[in-house]
């Protein structure tokens, strides 16, 4: 079965030189983008029921841009003026850069990891006398609390936003040759929207071991996997597969 159409379960890339656009050009395929999940903020009242008093924390751990947005949203809703002395521990440069939307960079105490939470942990350990707040989604990776407990720091996690299944009902009678997933939540969204989904000739591409497990646990056949040593990115995995099946 040749590949002509692909649905990627994420928003369309905002950058012009995205590898997806190169893939469209090189392989002459149609790629649509549609987020299968989206983020919704929880109310200040909900945060209070989690026994969170923002004035009690001297440092904020920020693992994503969503965490940045929703921390400052809740602070405003609670009429809490974030003090200039607040320390920010950002998981990556992208998150730290995004923080500039809310704070004047040079006046703040901002500590930046390389990419993963493990890489941020030595910085947190260095400031172990701080009281840390971790604003996150309801889908927090289990390793994050494990690492913080190992560091023996004073910290609290609070759900500031939730990952919610998007309404995909308009796609009920639309068929794609390949569906692309990047998280177990994306798989959950597919099956919540279409409980009677039958895979048949639809190929499923997944990124990451947890997504592979979610797909196979739900009886789906995984045809394309990334990352692998040969194809470290999803676009490379898709291109390799398309080249193989389309030349037959």
């Amino acid at each position: 079965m040749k590949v002509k159409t692909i649905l990627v379960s994420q928003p369309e890339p905002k950058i012009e030189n995205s590898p997806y656009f190169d893939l469209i050009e090189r392989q002459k395929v149609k790629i649509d983008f549609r987020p299968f999940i989206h983020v919704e903020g929880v109310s200040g009242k909900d945060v209070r029921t989690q026994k969170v008093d923002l004035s009690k924390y001297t440092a904020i751990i920020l693992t994503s841009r969503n965490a940045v947005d929703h921390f400052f949203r809740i602070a405003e809703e609670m009429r809490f003026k974030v003090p200039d002395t607040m320390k920010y521990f950002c998981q990556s440069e992208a998150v730290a850069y995004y923080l500039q939307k809310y704070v004047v960079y040079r006046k703040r105490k901002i500590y930046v990891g390389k990419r993963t939470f493990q890489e941020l942990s030595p910085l947190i350990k260095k400031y172990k006398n701080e009281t840390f707040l971790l604003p996150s989604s309801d889908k927090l990776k289990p390793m994050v609390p494990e690492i913080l407990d190992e560091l023996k720091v004073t910290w609290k996690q609070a759900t500031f936003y939730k990952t919610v299944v998007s309404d995909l009902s308009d796609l009920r009678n639309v068929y794609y040759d390949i569906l692309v997933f990047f998280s177990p939540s994306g798989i959950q969204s597919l099956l919540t929207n279409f409980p009677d989904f039958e895979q048949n000739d639809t190929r499923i591409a997944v990124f990451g071991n947890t997504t592979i497990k979610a797909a196979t646990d739900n009886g789906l056949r995984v045809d394309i996997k990334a990352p692998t040593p040969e194809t470290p990115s999803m676009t490379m995995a898709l291109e390799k597969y398309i080249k193989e099946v389309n030349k037959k």
Side-chain angles (χ1 to χ4, degrees):
M1 290 284 291
K2 288 193 174 183
V3 173
K4 293 176 184 172
T5 58
I6 300 170
L7 179 62
V8 177
S9 61
Q10 284 190 328
E12 184 168 341
K14 290 196 167 65
I15 53 169
E16 285 177 21
N17 60 346
S18 164
Y20 282 105
F21 301 140
D22 293 338
L23 182 62
I24 292 167
E25 192 66 35
R26 280 199 300 268
Q27 298 303 322
K28 304 294 183 265
V29 290
K30 180 178 186 279
I31 301 182
D32 290 336
F33 298 89
R34 178 71 178 271
F36 275 38
I37 54 174
H38 63 275
V39 163
E40 286 181 4
V42 307
S43 68
K45 185 182 172 187
D46 284 342
V47 173
R48 280 195 190 91
T49 62
Q50 298 174 59
K51 296 187 169 54
V52 173
D53 176 353
L54 296 181
S55 66
K56 296 277 193 286
Y57 301 95
T58 58
I60 310 294
I61 300 170
L62 299 165
T63 56
S64 69
R65 294 175 192 187
N66 281 325
V68 176
D69 280 336
H70 290 284
F71 169 70
F72 286 98
R73 176 184 62 80
I74 289 291
E76 190 177 345
E77 203 176 311
M78 290 182 162
R79 298 193 176 142
F80 172 72
K81 188 178 185 304
V82 182
D84 292 351
T85 53
M86 185 70 82
K87 293 182 173 71
Y88 300 94
F89 291 77
C90 302
Q91 185 166 316
S92 67
E93 277 186 17
V95 175
Y97 183 75
Y98 190 73
L99 187 59
Q100 293 182 81
K101 185 177 169 184
Y102 297 95
V103 300
V104 181
Y105 216 72
R106 66 180 183 277
K107 291 184 179 177
R108 297 293 188 272
K109 293 170 178 172
I110 297 167
Y111 309 91
V112 188
K114 287 177 182 154
R115 193 174 56 86
T116 66
F117 197 78
Q118 284 102 322
E119 289 165 331
L120 179 63
S121 62
L123 285 169
I124 295 171
K125 188 176 183 180
K126 193 176 172 185
Y127 292 90
K128 61 177 185 287
N129 294 329
E130 303 294 335
T131 305
F132 293 92
L133 177 66
L134 174 69
S136 75
S137 82
D138 55 331
K139 302 273 197 299
L140 183 65
K141 289 179 181 171
M143 66 157 192
V144 173
E146 285 168 12
I147 289 170
L148 289 169
D149 286 342
E150 281 169 17
L151 294 175
K152 293 186 167 52
V153 294
T154 304
W155 71 281
K156 181 176 176 65
Q157 181 271 337
T159 300
F160 277 43
Y161 55 100
K162 290 183 177 178
T163 304
V164 181
V165 166
S166 300
D167 178 10
L168 308 173
S169 54
D170 57 305
L171 294 177
R172 174 159 291 283
N173 297 312
V174 182
Y175 296 93
Y176 289 89
D177 297 321
I178 299 178
L179 301 178
V180 183
F181 296 96
F182 293 86
S183 70
S185 303
I187 300 286
Q188 180 200 341
S189 175
L190 172 74
L191 299 171
T192 301
N193 275 282
F194 311 111
D196 54 351
F197 175 77
E198 290 183 11
Q199 187 171 352
N200 299 325
D201 293 327
T202 303
R203 270 62 57 88
I204 286 181
V206 295
F207 191 92
N209 291 332
T210 55
T211 317
I212 292 170
K213 185 176 186 306
T216 53
D217 283 356
N218 284 286
L220 299 174
R221 183 188 70 251
V222 174
D223 302 281
I224 303 158
K225 296 176 185 175
T228 69
E230 196 182 348
T231 56
S233 73
M234 178 52 80
T235 47
M236 290 169 78
L238 287 169
E239 184 147 36
K240 179 175 181 285
Y241 181 85
I242 293 165
K243 278 180 179 173
E244 286 170 5
V245 299
N246 282 12
K247 74 180 179 187
K248 286 177 185 174

